[in-house]
Amino acid sequence: MSFAEYRDTIKDGDTAIVFLGHESMFPVKVQHGSVTQTKYGVIRHSTDLIGKKYGSKVTCSKGGWVFILHPTPELWTLNLPHRTQILYSTDISIITMMLELKPGSIVCESGTGSGSLSHALIRTVAPTGHLYTVEFHQQRAEKAREEFREHGVEHLVTVTNQDVCKNGFGVSNIADAVFLDIPSPWEAIGHAKSALKAEGGRICSFSPCIEQVQRTCLAMEECGFTEINTLEILLRVYNVRTISLQIPDLGKAAEDNSSTGFDSSNPSNQGSPCANLQQGTVQFKSGVPLREMVGHTGYLTFATKS
């Protein structure tokens, strides 16, 4: 099993996603002889998972059922163990596009954190690219190495435990892109410039506060970066549901029906809005925004090495 290379069959040692619903899923490490408890009952790895195809519908011991999904960076972002605040798909998608990443790209990242963006970057640059990720915290760096190894992508990533602001990324003049998610990104701009290829490399800095953005932009300008711009991505989700509204009294409905040739006895007209006039209500589909929505996550500052 690999987050960058997909296969059909579940094997011992794989990481799989147990899908109970869009708002309820969790990762599980498949092991021979192990069991997983769900609200629908027990899943036995040896008989219910190993050898089955990803996407299979598995019946639990209480008669309920779940789907077993192949892990992807998108699903991992929703299910990973949080060691730090993470980036979600909304920001990850624009970062991947604006950094112009593709298979074969060389990317430098700091810091690794919980590995949400790291998995997406690895999947994007595979199979011939490479990610160099730097994490200041030793335990988080070791845990990231362990996860990359379990997820079958260790050959596509190098994890380094050091302070990027003092020691850089450990590579020079090879990166197509650099991503910074650290408290003081302006202190690492010089190292980012050294890691990037001779010209045309792209850099992105993620910061939650506008004061961080201001200092980072000044540092980018001093280091000769061009095309500096900052943007913010906000996500607004809509629920589609059926709405019933009362019909206002605009006159005699019967006369209107006769003048337009409407025949209420015709079965084909029973589902039309006019058929509901006598009941006084009409139903239609409407998109309604959520009462609460995710607001500001951070500012994304992009620039190009000239």
Side-chain angles (χ1 to χ4, degrees), residues 235-247:
L235 177 66
R236 191 175 189 184
V237 179
Y238 281 79
N239 281 336
V240 178
R241 59 188 185 188
T242 301
I243 303 294
S244 296
L245 291 181
Q246 192 171 13
I247 299 296

Side-chain angles (χ1 to χ4, degrees), residues 83 106-119 121-122 130-137 140-148 153-154 156-164 168-171 174-175 177-182 195:
R83 299 183 289 273
I106 305 297
V107 186
C108 292
E109 175 197 26
S110 182
T112 312
S114 300
S116 174
L117 177 64
S118 303
H119 282 82
L121 295 177
I122 291 169
H130 201 84
L131 171 66
Y132 294 90
T133 183
V134 178
E135 173 57 52
F136 174 78
H137 194 277
R140 288 201 293 262
E142 292 173 354
K143 186 61 179 177
R145 289 192 192 98
E146 180 184 340
E147 286 182 348
F148 293 142
V153 295
E154 71 276 10
L156 297 169
V157 58
T158 299
V159 182
T160 305
N161 172 220
Q162 64 186 29
D163 186 351
V164 70
F169 293 93
V171 296
I174 64 169
V178 170
F179 176 80
L180 298 174
D181 183 7
I182 54 178

Side-chain angles (χ1 to χ4, degrees), residues 1-300:
M1 185 276 304
S2 171
F3 275 54
E5 300 173 2
Y6 299 96
R7 66 161 180 252
D8 293 334
T9 307
I10 304 172
K11 294 184 178 181
D12 188 17
D14 283 1
T15 298
I17 304 296
V18 179
F19 181 89
L20 293 83
H22 290 290
E23 302 297 329
S24 179
M25 60 183 104
F26 59 89
V28 61
K29 185 171 182 179
V30 179
Q31 293 179 316
H32 185 78
S34 297
V35 297
T36 297
Q37 297 284 349
T38 74
K39 63 181 180 180
Y40 301 125
V42 173
I43 301 174
R44 294 175 174 82
H45 295 197
S46 300
T47 57
D48 296 333
L49 298 183
I50 297 176
K52 300 292 181 66
K53 288 189 175 183
Y54 280 106
S56 297
K57 183 178 180 180
V58 174
T59 302
C60 304
S61 61
K62 293 182 181 179
W65 48 267
V66 299
F67 289 105
I68 307 300
L69 305 180
H70 195 293
T72 65
E74 292 81 6
L75 290 174
W76 186 245
T77 291
L78 297 175
N79 293 281
L80 57 78
H82 285 236
R83 299 183 289 273
T84 59
Q85 291 290 332
I86 69 169
L87 292 179
Y88 288 92
S89 298
T90 308
D91 289 316
I92 291 173
S93 59
I94 195 70
I95 291 169
T96 303
M97 184 186 74
M98 295 293 287
L99 289 182
E100 302 174 3
L101 301 183
K102 59 186 182 299
S105 295
I106 305 297
V107 186
C108 292
E109 175 197 26
S110 182
T112 312
S114 300
S116 174
L117 177 64
S118 303
H119 282 82
L121 295 177
I122 291 169
R123 196 261 307 272
T124 302
V125 304
T128 56
H130 201 84
L131 171 66
Y132 294 90
T133 183
V134 178
E135 173 57 52
F136 174 78
H137 194 277
Q138 182 178 359
Q139 290 181 335
R140 288 201 293 262
E142 292 173 354
K143 186 61 179 177
R145 289 192 192 98
E146 180 184 340
E147 286 182 348
F148 293 142
R149 184 168 56 253
E150 291 179 353
H151 298 164
V153 295
E154 71 276 10
H155 62 292
L156 297 169
V157 58
T158 299
V159 182
T160 305
N161 172 220
Q162 64 186 29
D163 186 351
V164 70
C165 297
K166 295 180 179 179
N167 306 113
F169 293 93
V171 296
S172 299
N173 302 320
I174 64 169
D176 298 289
V178 170
F179 176 80
L180 298 174
D181 183 7
I182 54 178
S184 52
W186 56 89
E187 296 181 0
I189 298 299
H191 294 297
K193 183 178 180 180
S194 300
L196 288 168
K197 59 186 181 181
E199 60 178 340
R202 295 279 287 166
I203 184 174
C204 174
S205 174
F206 177 91
S207 297
C209 301
I210 195 64
E211 292 81 6
Q212 294 171 304
V213 174
Q214 292 170 335
R215 296 189 66 174
T216 302
C217 288
L218 289 174
M220 288 179 175
E221 196 171 23
E222 290 174 358
C223 286
F225 284 90
T226 60
E227 299 177 343
I228 302 172
N229 65 86
T230 299
L231 51 87
E232 179 185 28
I233 307 298
L234 299 178
L235 177 66
R236 191 175 189 184
V237 179
Y238 281 79
N239 281 336
V240 178
R241 59 188 185 188
T242 301
I243 303 294
S244 296
L245 291 181
Q246 192 171 13
I247 299 296
D249 185 5
L250 301 177
K252 295 182 179 180
E255 292 179 3
D256 294 340
N257 292 343
S258 61
S259 63
T260 57
F262 178 81
D263 183 4
S264 60
S265 63
N266 188 343
S268 63
N269 291 328
Q270 296 301 314
S272 66
C274 294
N276 294 325
L277 290 177
Q278 299 302 324
Q279 288 128 27
T281 61
V282 63
Q283 293 184 335
F284 61 93
K285 296 290 185 181
S286 176
V288 181
L290 301 180
R291 291 179 179 269
E292 296 180 357
M293 61 173 281
V294 177
H296 171 76
T297 57
Y299 299 102
L300 294 170

